[in-house]
Amino acid sequence: MDGHSRMVQFFKVVLPLVAILMLSTVFLLSRSIETNVTVPFTQQDIDKRLADQVVTQPNYRGTTRKGEEVQIEAIRASQGTEGAIPTAAEFRGRLGLSDGGVITLDSNSGLIRPDKNTATFVGDVVITSTDGTEITTDLLNTSLDEIRGDTPGQVNGTGIIGNFTAGRMTFGTEKKDGPVHIIFTDGVKLVYEPEKTER
Amino acid sequence: QETQVAFGAVKADPSLPVEVTSEKLNVNQEDGSAEFLGNVIVIQGEMRLTAERVLVIYNEDRSGIERMEATEDVVLISPPDAAEGDWAEYTIDSGVIVMKGNVLLTQGPSTITGDQMDADLTAGTATMIGNVKTILQQGQN
């Protein structure tokens, strides 16, 4: 047996042993998978959802008799159980007028009463009228089957006409099928800053 | 014929803020016109314009108010003078007020009546046009 065949005999034994050794450690080093993954909802959240059937991304879309489009959407809404009435978070509304103008409504929360055909915007309500005037108030009631609404409380507004405050605001058509008007009542106070005219 | 009189003691500055108070403000969403209703008071600096209805007219690019049209018992006060008429139009940038419809201007003891009055608040002058009659009270002060 010369050196070469002795070396071959030696490797014939050692190499398979090394192979077996590597093979066995492969399974030991594999990535550990996370077994107890946490569910994204807390138990209390699940119970709440089951209790009052929370709906995500609800969207109310209707058209009035005159063909104006009333659209109200929210991030999350819960359907009212017999005690509570349906409430929604991140409330947004869009009233498309027949002449193309758009009044957008936005508020922290709100509620829709399809049975009474009304929707109420609650909390930091921002109304943007067709000419870009921004009106803010605390609460706004709107109807779902026609372009009509009113605010019980005070409103503040800014626009090209200037900054103003008013005791109350209502919007709707004055004459049947006439144009939609936004009417500020109970005392209006407005300040208009003329642009600096070059004298 | 025409009479030119001084109007208002101090020269008005048209870039002063304009304050409007009224009972109601009606904004038409179709053509965007806005109208103040119910004892409307427009104040700018010394000038006071009161009327029952004031319609706001915007400039072409709708970036600001061009002029205001007051109707129904319009009274314009630019101390110490006062004028009243049926209709008045106040152009804010130029500070010019045009009054029409049996205009009556009282200046201290004397009163001047006419069909139309063009008052330029910045220049402090007013021009009465159309069968102007002046009634001077003599002697009592």
Side-chain angles (χ1 to χ4, degrees), chain A residues 60-185:
Chain A
Y60 171 90
R61 203 183 285 267
T63 49
T64 65
R65 190 176 38 78
K66 268 169 56 183
E68 289 138 337
E69 190 214 329
V70 174
Q71 187 191 329
I72 296 180
E73 58 193 24
I75 297 298
R76 204 169 34 76
S78 63
Q79 208 269 339
T81 51
E82 59 322 315
I85 33 180
T87 58
E90 269 309 314
F91 220 46
R92 262 193 303 279
R94 186 182 176 286
L95 310 175
L97 307 187
S98 45
D99 68 350
V102 171
I103 298 178
T104 59
L105 316 168
D106 196 296
S107 69
N108 290 351
S109 70
L111 45 98
I112 300 185
R113 297 297 302 266
D115 50 352
K116 287 206 180 99
N117 254 325
T118 64
T120 310
F121 290 75
V122 181
D124 301 340
V125 184
V126 176
I127 302 136
T128 315
S129 72
T130 49
D131 59 1
T133 315
E134 249 192 36
I135 303 143
T136 54
T137 181
D138 297 337
L139 189 131
L140 171 73
N141 303 311
T142 61
S143 82
L144 294 178
D145 54 2
E146 57 176 332
I147 306 285
R148 181 166 305 288
D150 65 279
T151 71
Q154 215 215 344
V155 291
N156 301 308
T158 62
I160 38 177
I161 194 172
N163 308 330
F164 57 90
T165 65
R168 228 163 59 77
M169 177 197 104
T170 67
F171 68 86
T173 55
E174 276 169 359
K175 308 182 285 305
K176 207 171 122 9
D177 290 354
V180 172
H181 287 257
I182 297 187
I183 303 169
F184 300 95
T185 55

Side-chain angles (χ1 to χ4, degrees), chain A residues 99 129-131 160-161 174 179-197 199, chain B residues 14-30 34 36 58 62-65 92-93:
Chain A
D99 68 350
S129 72
T130 49
D131 59 1
I160 38 177
I161 194 172
E174 276 169 359
V180 172
H181 287 257
I182 297 187
I183 303 169
F184 300 95
T185 55
D186 297 8
V188 176
K189 202 172 168 348
L190 174 132
V191 174
Y192 168 70
E193 301 277 348
E195 292 118 326
K196 294 295 156 269
T197 53
R199 179 57 43 208
Chain B
S15 66
L16 282 176
V18 177
E19 273 174 51
V20 182
T21 54
S22 71
E23 270 159 28
K24 284 166 74 169
L25 166 61
N26 183 337
V27 180
N28 180 330
Q29 290 305 292
E30 205 159 278
F36 291 94
Y58 299 112
R62 293 184 71 83
S63 63
I65 298 180
I92 295 182
D93 290 344

Side-chain angles (χ1 to χ4, degrees), chain B:
Chain B
Q1 80 284 33
E2 219 178 77
T3 332
Q4 176 117 41
V5 287
F7 184 73
V10 72
K11 300 243 177 318
D13 167 7
S15 66
L16 282 176
V18 177
E19 273 174 51
V20 182
T21 54
S22 71
E23 270 159 28
K24 284 166 74 169
L25 166 61
N26 183 337
V27 180
N28 180 330
Q29 290 305 292
E30 205 159 278
D31 57 14
S33 66
E35 189 173 30
F36 291 94
L37 301 153
N39 53 60
V40 187
I41 302 165
V42 178
I43 298 169
Q44 184 179 35
E46 292 295 315
M47 188 275 293
R48 256 171 80 91
L49 179 68
T50 58
E52 272 312 298
R53 300 165 71 96
V54 171
L55 177 69
V56 170
I57 294 129
Y58 299 112
N59 49 27
E60 299 79 26
D61 54 8
R62 293 184 71 83
S63 63
I65 298 180
E66 192 198 311
R67 52 192 166 77
M68 288 184 177
E69 252 177 48
T71 46
E72 284 173 35
D73 51 63
V74 182
V75 175
L76 165 66
I77 298 155
S78 174
D81 307 329
E84 55 187 59
D86 299 345
W87 177 91
E89 180 184 68
Y90 173 42
T91 312
I92 295 182
D93 290 344
S94 63
V96 166
I97 295 187
V98 172
M99 254 181 149
K100 285 192 178 126
N102 46 61
V103 179
L104 184 121
L105 169 61
T106 51
Q107 287 198 317
S110 68
T111 61
I112 307 166
T113 60
D115 292 347
Q116 179 180 336
M117 178 183 86
D118 301 349
D120 182 341
L121 299 178
T122 51
T125 62
T127 322
M128 198 69 99
I129 305 157
N131 62 61
V132 179
K133 284 190 285 299
T134 313
I135 304 143
L136 294 174
Q137 310 293 356
Q138 276 93 4
Q140 85 271 40
N141 52 1

